[in-house]
Structure formats: structure tokens, C-alpha cells
Amino acid sequence: MPIARLLVRLADASRRHAALTVLGGVVLAVLAVFYAAGHLGVSTDTDQLFSARLPWRQSEIALDRAFPQFNNLLVFVIDARAPEAADATAHALALRLRADPARFRDVTEPDRSAYLEREGLLFLSVPKLRALMDRTIDAQPFIGQLVADPSARGLFSALALIGLGVQREHVDLAPYAPALGAFHQALAGVLAGHPTPLSWQSLLGGEAAKLAGRYRFVLVHPRLDYGALEPGGTATRAARAIAADLPFVRDGTARVRITGQIALSDEEFASVAQGMEVGLIGSVALITLWLLLAVRSWRLIVPILMTLLLGLSLTLFFAAVAVGTLNLVSVGFGVLFVGIAVDFSIQFCVRYRERRFEFADPAEAMRRTAARAGVQILIAAVATSAGFLAFVPTEFVGVAELGLIAGVGMLIAFACTLGFLPAAIALFRPAGERGMVGFGWAVALDPLVRRWRRPILAGFAALALAGAIAAPFLQFDANPLHTKNPHTEAMETLRDLMGSPVTNPFTIDILAPNIPAAEALAGKLDGLSTVAAVRTIGSFIPRDQAAKLAIVADAAGILGPTLTPLAPVVPATAGQIRLAARTALAQITPALANPAALAALGPVAGDLRRLAVAPDAVLMAANAALTRFLPGEIAQLRAALDARPAGLADIPPALRRDWVLADGRARVQVVPKAALSGTSAGLYAFVAQVRAVAPAAGGPAVTVVATSRTIVDSFRSAALYALAAIAAILALALRRPRDVALVLAPLVLSALTTLLVAVVVPLPLNYANIIALPLLLGVGVAFNIYFVMNWRDGRYALLGSATARAIVFSALTTGTAFGSLALSHHPGTASMGVLLLVSLGATLLATLVFVPALLATLRQPNGG
């Protein structure tokens, strides 16, 4: 065979010029690594993983350009024991971040709006607004005392009035019960040495206070470095230091957490890296052990490792020239290269050991190894390369680039195996073999497999049938959040936000031609069964304004004079607060004879009794805890009672920019029901319903669904291309349809077995683990070619052969690398490792059991 002679000449030339070849290889590796270090980058920009030609990507790009304020955000989520503390912390954080433009391009406070503060009451329903105003008017005497003296002195004077009113049976305590309970909690905290500011917003705001929700937000565009594994890492660390220094954060009253696209991506890389060093050390140790058991000599292990490093260096050089920048998927080419290239080297070295047992002359053993194993490795390398290159035409750019690099890498690995490895072996001079190299214990298995071949094949047929039946039930988890570590701050924060329509991240965005069209579309979408809420610019214009403004105006007429302070307030002293506490206690104590008053006022009376004898420092702490937020809430109530008719023209420009473009197009945002956004099926149903009404819909939910479909379609197409290419190459190399089928049959069987396990476990496919499928093709083709070609050459004892030994230890070596991935703290990486191990196990089962049984049923060829 001309190719065999050519390979023999190549290996022989490498052996004869061993020192020069090894030196040249080392120099070439150094130059390749040096070039790659200066020209090969890594981009963590996930937007670049898919072709911009895809319709959904074009829609995504259009929305991103229209509303750039929503892209690449760090989202600071602030919550506190009191909403006022959250407000103050959010504002203080925003001011500090704006003072550092070198790290933060812009900072937005979506919750801070004079318009919403003034018109806030109008967003309540008419019944709720009327009830709130009635309660506020009932509390007018109490509020008036606080306006006149917004201190603990004034508050205790107001409590004295309540006690006096109870004595005279003029006061119903029911409306005051929540406030009295809050006063008791605040005073008890002070007396216990843990003062917590009282929330007047919750006491006076009622239902209006609930409109803002629990959380406050600060939206930040950080300066990003896409050349770093954590593009927003520098900005995030600076922001954390700023947040930790804020007063309410320092004393534990408020909490600041960070989420958003940038934080999620950065934490994902940190999760992937967590424990990587220990895993890498363990993997290297185990791989070294498998190589030692496979080739039995460090004089062969070192050449294998040198060959791998040379091949990896040259593949890095090719990636730098052909691609220039690795993406989050193509960066995994190293795992694929080592996992398959190590098989070529192990096969060559184990076969070389086998020939050394037969031939004492190392040169002759090398030539014989190249003649037989070289052709098999060549076919395996070309077929594997074709399998990877089949991914190049797909729209999934991440895998297309991975396929290009790994495909060419397989050819580089073959060239290194035949062109460099023989020189390295000759240079290190391993000793000859004293016995058979294969598995002696496995020799007896070949007759056993031949005897039971029909039951074995029947079992595998049943397994294949079960896999084919189960295949349609294989799930693809379209939710990218499920591949992330759920215990990171960004993920835990996002999970807290998902239950609310206000903060659910899986929304759909639609651009309507104008505002009336947006409102009409919102009306159609609002009734869909999967939709929780629909928001437009019109959502910020209160409804039923005439009725509501009348209610507010009536309340303002009554409360207006009360809310206007008559004279500046002199700060309260500890002595004045103590006197006010004693006076209030004196008025409340007689009222406690009333059972209803005892339940409502009793705890507060106990607190006042202790305050009356407390040190001055405790009294001033009580003053701060009780009234810190009082002046601000009185001012807010005063502003809310100044509500006016509101229309589109009254919406501030900053808010309008989030919903209406300069050309008049208006954004419609659709929010799914919380139960749907947590599952792939729910997201699919939500997107399908909305797109049936608005086919041009985009946004996060549409992107998630479209991305999953693109990935599945890309892998489906690539798998068909790969099988066709592999079949064509095998047909050219083996020249017999039957032999081609013998190689492809176990490949299909292992794929069906992997699918069956993935369905039964279950182990759904996701964005991370789907990369296992091309590796399954590569490893499966290589293993099967070795056995089938040995059988063609008249070597019918398969399981005890040196080839079987090489396959087993190659699988163990590759499996060790995959096992380290399976132990990752990152769920996506771990699922990839598990699926790789499953596919490798299925491939090994098909190669070592199914192939020998299948070959045993066929008429043995007459060599060649």
C-alpha cells in the first residue's frame, strides 16, 4: 500500500534523525506558543457565539441598539429592614459610583423619580386610595403633633394624647395598632442595644408603600475588559468595596447584592475555575498512572507527553492564525485535542511494544509499527477530523470555530504521532519486551464472546431499540441559568427576583410602530394564559385620574395645614425626651384598665417605663431610631398630596427613553407567569403564545428559546454531515461497504446508548454538555477503526490484543480528564463531564463487547 510505505518512510526518517527531529520539534513548539501568546485572545462576549445572520440575532441586535441602557449591566439590588434605609443606601451607592467614571460609565437609579413620588397615590385603585386617605385623616391629630415636633419628644407627646383619648373614650385604637406595634419593636431594639430605624414609609404609606416592592435598584454600566476571564471583575470589586463602606450596610440595616448579565458571567468563570487546580493535579497524576500501566516505562511516557505538547502548541498556533480569538465554546478545544490525540500516541506506543516483543531490532519494530498502526491512526485521524469539520458550516459560531480548530488539530496530532513520536522514542531508547503486550487474562474472553455472540448481539439490538424509542424524549434544557452555580450571589439574587412580575428576567420585548399601536398590542397580550403582566409607556400614566384626584384633593384640603410646620423645631435633648416619656406613661397608665387598651398600649407603656430611667445615650439612640426617617416621609406625604393630572407629556425624559424611541416607536414588555419562567417547557409556551400575536417579538425569553433551537439544529445538521463525511472517508480507505458499516454500527449504537442513559437518569442536554456529542464521534470512530482493521488483517483475537490494551488505557486516560470536569463546582461543566463519561462508557462497551461479537458472526476475511 503506497500510503503505508510513505508512513514507514516518515517514521523511519524521524527515528534516524532523532536528535534533530526532537530539537526541531521543541523549537517549533516554543515558537508556536510564543506566537499564540501574542496573537490568540479569549473573548467572553457571549453575543459572539451565534451568527449575526440569524433572524433572532438580528432582532436582538436591533433591540440592543435601540435600548443600549439595558445591555451589559451590573445590577445592584438593595434591600433593608426599612424601605427608607434601602432608598438611602441606593442613593448613596449611586453617588459614590458616579464619582468613579474610570470604572463606571454611567449609573442609573430607576426607583428615584420625582414624577413617581408626586403621582404615586394615583397608581392605587380607587377603593385602596380612599381607605388610605381615610386612615390618614383619622390620624390627623397624631400626624400634626409629629409635624410640629418630629422627634421622640413629639412622638411621646402624641402617645400621651392617645392615652388621654382612651381615658375619655374618644379614641379607637384599632387604626393605631400597627403603628403602636412598630413603636414597641423599635423601642425594644434600642433598649436591647440593637437600635433599628423605624419605617415611617410603611406606617404612613400603606398600600402605596408596597407599590415599590421590597428591593431598590442601581443600574451600572461598568468599564469592561473582554480580554480578561472576568470582564467586569475590576469594576465589581471596586463596587463591592464602596457598598461595604456605606453606613446602613456597615451596621447591618441594609444589604447590597450584585447580579445582572456581567455579574452572572463573571461568577460563572469563577465557578469553573474553583477547584480547577486540585482537579488538574489529580487528573495529571491519574493520567500518568494510566500511561505507566499502558506502556510500562517512563521512556515511553515522556515521548507521549512531548508529542501531546507539540501537537497542542501547533494547534494553538493554528487557532491564533485561523481564528485569532477563542470564544467560550472554542476555548474547550484543548480538552478535545488531548482526549483524542493521546489515543493516537498510546496506540502507537503499545503497538511498538508489541513489535519489540516480535523484533529485537528497534528500527524494524518501528517500521512494522508505522506500517500497520500508522495507517489505522491515519484513517482514524482523517475520519475524526472530518467529524469535527462538519460543524464549521453551522450557525452556532462557537461550535463552528471549535470544529475548525479541533478538526485541523486531529491532523496535526497525526503528523506529530508519525513525524515526532518515533524520534522521541528513539532518543529515549525504551527497553525491549519480554512477553506479550496485550491483556493475557482477556485472551479467554474471545472464545467466550464467539460462543455467546447471538445473545450478546440480541441484547445490543434491544439496547439500540430502547435508545431509538427514548431519543424523542431527550430533553434540551433551554434555561441558561440552570448551567450556572446556583449558590453564587448573582444567581441567588436573581432567583429572589424571579418571583415578581416587576423583576422577572425572562421577559419579551416588542417594538410597536407608535404609542397607540403599543397600547393596542398590550391589550391583546394581556389576556394570554401565560402572561402575568404587560407594560408600556402607558403603564406610567394612572387610570381613573378624575376620581382619584378628587379623593386626594379632599384629603389635601384637610391635611394640608397639618402637614405645614408653623415654626422651626428645636432639637430635642435627652432630658426633654425623658420628661416626654414620663408624661406619656402617666397618660397611658390609667388607660390600661381597658382590656383593649392594655393589649395595644401595654408593650409601649413597658418601654416608656424603662426609658424614663435609661441613660442619656439610650434616650438619644431611641430618638434616632424612632424619627430618623420621619421628616422625609412627612415631606413625601406632602408631595403625594400635591398629585396632578398626568399624561404622556408629563413623563420625565429619563423614564420615557426606556419605552419610546426618538422615531416614535414604542416598546412593549411582556412578563411571564412566575411558574413558567423556571422551566424550558414554560418558556417555550410563553414565547409561542406571544409570538402568535406579535411575530417580531424579541427580548430575553425569545433569545433563550431561539438559542436552544439554533444549538439543537446546528448539532443535528452537523451530526448528519459528520456521519456522511466519516462514511465517505471510510469508504475510500476501507473500500468495502461491509467494513464501513462495521465501523459505523458501533458508533450509532454508542450514540443510542448515550441517549438512553440521558433520558433514563435523566441527564438533559444543555448549552454546556452538548459539546460531548462531537467528542463521542471522534473517540468512537478511532476505537472502532482499530478493531475492524485488525480483523481485516487476520488478527481475530481482539480482546487480548495490544490494540485492546491501548484502547482501554486510552479510554481511562480520556475518562480521567472528563472525570475532573464531572467534579466541577460549575453545574454546566459538571454535566458536561458526566455526559462525556457516559458517552465514553457507551463507546467502550460497544467497542469491546459489541464489535467482537459482531465480527465473530462474519466470515473471516483472507487478510489485507
Side-chain angles (χ1 to χ4, degrees), residues 43 70 77 168 194 259 359 480 519 564 580 598 636 690 760 803:
S43 173
F70 301 137
V77 182
R168 297 177 179 178
H194 307 292
T259 187
F359 301 95
E519 298 303 324
T564 303
L598 178 63
Q636 173 59 37
V690 172
V760 172
T803 301

Side-chain angles (χ1 to χ4, degrees), residues 21 414 503:
T21 302
F414 167 76
T503 53

Side-chain angles (χ1 to χ4, degrees), residues 673-719:
K673 291 182 177 176
L676 298 175
S677 59
T679 66
S680 297
L683 279 178
Y684 275 95
F686 171 57
V687 171
Q689 260 200 354
V690 172
R691 296 195 83 175
V693 177
V702 173
T703 296
V704 167
V705 171
T707 297
S708 67
R709 286 175 176 158
T710 299
I711 291 175
V712 171
D713 290 346
S714 294
F715 273 89
R716 184 185 295 115
S717 300

Side-chain angles (χ1 to χ4, degrees), residues 511-605:
L511 272 180
N514 49 54
I515 293 175
E519 298 303 324
L521 180 59
K524 296 177 182 178
L525 295 170
D526 199 34
L528 297 180
S529 61
T530 59
V531 172
V534 182
R535 290 192 286 266
T536 65
I537 187 70
S539 303
F540 299 91
I541 301 174
R543 298 178 180 178
D544 303 320
Q545 291 190 37
K548 295 176 182 178
L549 285 169
I551 295 171
V552 173
D554 288 345
I558 298 171
L559 296 171
T562 303
L563 294 174
T564 303
L566 299 177
V569 179
V570 178
T573 65
Q576 292 170 338
I577 295 172
R578 183 179 289 108
L579 178 60
R582 289 172 176 171
T583 302
L585 181 62
Q587 296 291 345
I588 289 174
T589 300
L592 299 181
N594 183 323
L598 178 63
L601 289 170
V604 174

Side-chain angles (χ1 to χ4, degrees), residues 10 29 72 98 100 192 334 359 361 474 582 691 790:
L10 175 62
N72 296 327
R98 288 192 187 105
D100 188 2
F359 301 95
D361 181 14
L474 180 65
R582 289 172 176 171
R691 296 195 83 175
N790 278 357

Side-chain angles (χ1 to χ4, degrees), residues 328-391:
L328 292 176
V329 176
S330 61
V331 74
F333 82 91
V335 174
L336 297 183
F337 179 88
V338 173
I340 299 178
V342 72
D343 171 66
F344 298 165
S345 296
I346 291 176
Q347 282 290 339
F348 192 91
C349 287
V350 171
R351 303 286 193 90
Y352 173 73
R353 288 185 58 211
E354 181 184 34
R355 293 304 186 183
R356 282 302 309 273
F357 175 70
E358 299 172 359
F359 301 95
D361 181 14
E364 182 61 24
M366 186 70 72
R367 285 190 289 270
R368 297 285 183 140
T369 302
R372 185 184 295 273
V375 173
Q376 295 180 8
I377 294 173
L378 172 62
I379 297 173
V382 173
T384 303
S385 175
F388 285 130
L389 292 174
F391 287 84

Side-chain angles (χ1 to χ4, degrees), residues 285-302 304 342-355 430-431 433 435-439 441 801-814:
L286 276 175
I287 287 172
T288 303
L289 173 63
W290 302 138
L291 290 176
L292 181 61
L293 292 175
V295 298
R296 301 285 181 88
S297 171
W298 68 269
R299 295 178 183 273
L300 286 174
I301 293 176
V302 173
I304 289 175
V342 72
D343 171 66
F344 298 165
S345 296
I346 291 176
Q347 282 290 339
F348 192 91
C349 287
V350 171
R351 303 286 193 90
Y352 173 73
R353 288 185 58 211
E354 181 184 34
R355 293 304 186 183
E433 297 296 330
M436 295 292 294
V437 175
F439 291 129
W441 56 269
S801 67
T803 301
R805 181 186 188 89
I807 287 174
V808 168
F809 284 105
S810 175
L812 287 172
T813 304
T814 305

